[in-house]
Amino acid sequence: MALSTSSSAQQARQALAKRLADLCRHAGLTGLDLAERCGWSRSKSSRIMNAKTPPSAEDIRAWCRACGAEEQTEDLIASLRTAEGMWVNWRRMERAGLRQAQEARLPLYRRTDRFRSYSSWLVPGLIQTQSYTTAALRAVQRRRGLLDDVAEAVAARMERQRVLYEVGRRFAFLVEESVLRNGIGGAEVMSEQLGHLMSIASLPNVSFGVVPMAPDRERWPTEGFWIYDTAQVNVELVSGYLTITQPSEVAMYAETFAGLAASAVYGADARTLITSALDVLT
C-alpha cells in the first residue's frame, strides 16, 4: 500500500482529465485550438488532458468558456476539489486549527454503521480519555506551531465519541501492544487510559484486540487506518491524511485488517497485556 499517494486519487485526476478532453472533442476543438482560445501554450492543454498537470479552478472556467460549456463549470470544479481532497497534508488540514479538523470528520462518523480501526502509534481517538486526547493534541499543536485551540479540539473529539453508544453501530479496534506502552502524557494519564480501554472492551457493540509483540510475526505493523463501512478508508501518515475510495484499495485494507485481527488477542488475554502495561506504570 502506497504511503503518500493512492490509485483512488490518481483515478479521480484521470477521470477529470478525461471529462475535460471529452468537452474539447465534443466542441470540435483540437488541443491547439483550445490553447489559443485560453491564451495558453499547447503543452499546457496537453498536460491537463493527459492528467500530467492538474488544472486550477480558473483553468476549468477558461476551458468551459472555450468549449461553450459554461453550465458544466461548477460540476467540474467540484470534481477537482474531490480529487484534491483525497490527499491533504497536515499543514493544509490544520491551518485553521485543530478544532476544525476534528469537526470535519463528524459527518462521516454519522453516516457510518461499521467502524474498523487499526493503530500502531496511539490509542484510536474514539476510545481516548479526555486527558490522553489533551496530551496528544497538545503535542501536535506545539510540534506543528498551530493555533492554540486544543481545548476546543478536545471537546469536539469527546463529542464525537457519542457514536460509540448509538444503537446500530459496530466498532472493531485493533492496537499494537506497543500502543499500550508508549508514554503519552505521563504515568497518570496512561494509567487512566489503560483502565478506560478495559471498560470500552466490555461494550456489547465493541471488539477490542491487541496485536502482541512477537519476534516471528507474519503480519507486520503498518500505518494506522480507519475503514468506514466498505465505502472509505482514511490513513494517517507522517506527512498528511489520505482518503481512499477505490473499491480494490478499500478491499486491500479490509484484508490487512482481517489478517491483523486474526493475530490479535481479545478478552482475558487482552486484559492481561493491558494489566502488564499498567504494572510498569505503578
Side-chain angles (χ1 to χ4, degrees):
M1 286 173 285
L3 291 184
S4 61
T5 188
S6 157
S7 64
S8 294
Q10 181 60 25
Q11 288 194 9
R13 289 191 290 267
Q14 289 172 344
L16 175 60
K18 183 179 184 302
R19 289 180 65 186
L20 291 171
D22 287 345
L23 274 186
C24 186
R25 185 174 65 255
H26 293 157
L29 302 176
T30 66
L32 179 58
D33 294 332
L34 184 85
E36 289 177 346
R37 291 191 180 192
C38 294
W40 298 336
S41 67
R42 182 176 183 176
S43 62
K44 177 174 179 175
S45 297
S46 176
R47 290 196 305 271
I48 289 175
M49 284 191 282
N50 289 290
K52 293 182 179 179
T53 298
S56 67
E58 286 305 315
D59 290 339
I60 289 176
R61 290 189 179 94
W63 196 293
C64 289
R65 283 196 300 270
C67 296
E70 288 92 341
E71 73 282 357
Q72 296 195 44
T73 300
E74 294 309 314
D75 185 57
L76 287 164
I77 290 175
S79 296
L80 171 66
R81 300 299 185 225
T82 296
E84 289 176 337
M86 288 183 173
W87 169 250
V88 184
N89 65 40
W90 292 121
R91 183 173 297 279
R92 176 182 163 195
M93 187 173 184
E94 298 167 346
R95 61 190 171 192
L98 292 168
R99 178 188 60 79
Q100 183 172 314
Q102 293 296 315
E103 292 178 342
R105 301 182 197 181
L106 188 56
L108 174 61
Y109 280 57
R110 285 176 172 161
R111 65 177 181 263
T112 300
D113 293 323
R114 184 189 181 195
F115 297 76
R116 284 169 284 179
S117 171
Y118 165 77
S119 181
S120 55
W121 298 349
L122 298 170
V123 172
L126 271 184
I127 54 176
Q128 292 177 1
T129 64
Q130 183 169 336
S131 296
Y132 187 99
T133 294
T134 299
L137 293 184
R138 176 62 67 192
V140 169
Q141 183 265 329
R142 287 174 174 165
R143 184 167 64 249
R144 296 177 184 158
L146 303 173
L147 170 76
D148 185 358
D149 63 348
V150 170
E152 293 83 357
V154 171
R157 181 171 289 183
M158 295 299 105
E159 175 67 21
R160 202 169 66 210
Q161 290 183 358
R162 288 174 181 247
V163 298
L164 276 170
Y165 306 97
E166 294 177 353
V167 176
R169 302 193 196 276
R170 294 176 294 149
F171 302 85
F173 298 102
L174 292 177
V175 300
E176 294 287 337
E177 184 181 351
S178 58
V179 169
L180 308 178
R181 300 177 180 276
N182 287 336
I184 304 296
E188 184 176 346
V189 169
M190 282 302 300
S191 294
E192 180 189 27
Q193 177 63 68
L194 293 174
H196 183 61
L197 292 181
M198 288 196 274
S199 298
I200 288 293
S202 67
L203 294 176
N205 62 332
V206 171
S207 169
F208 179 78
V210 181
V211 184
M213 294 185 289
D216 57 349
R217 287 179 55 163
E218 293 185 8
R219 289 278 184 177
W220 299 343
T222 185
E223 66 271 14
F225 60 88
W226 285 79
I227 307 175
Y228 301 93
D229 291 326
T230 58
Q232 179 173 320
V233 174
N234 284 126
V235 188
E236 295 190 2
L237 305 171
V238 170
S239 53
Y241 193 73
L242 178 65
T243 298
I244 292 170
T245 57
Q246 183 67 19
S248 61
E249 287 190 88
V250 172
M252 287 176 64
Y253 278 93
E255 187 275 334
T256 296
F257 188 90
L260 290 163
S263 64
V265 296
Y266 304 85
D269 290 334
R271 286 194 297 273
T272 296
L273 292 178
I274 295 172
T275 301
S276 176
L278 271 169
D279 288 342
V280 174
L281 297 172
T282 57

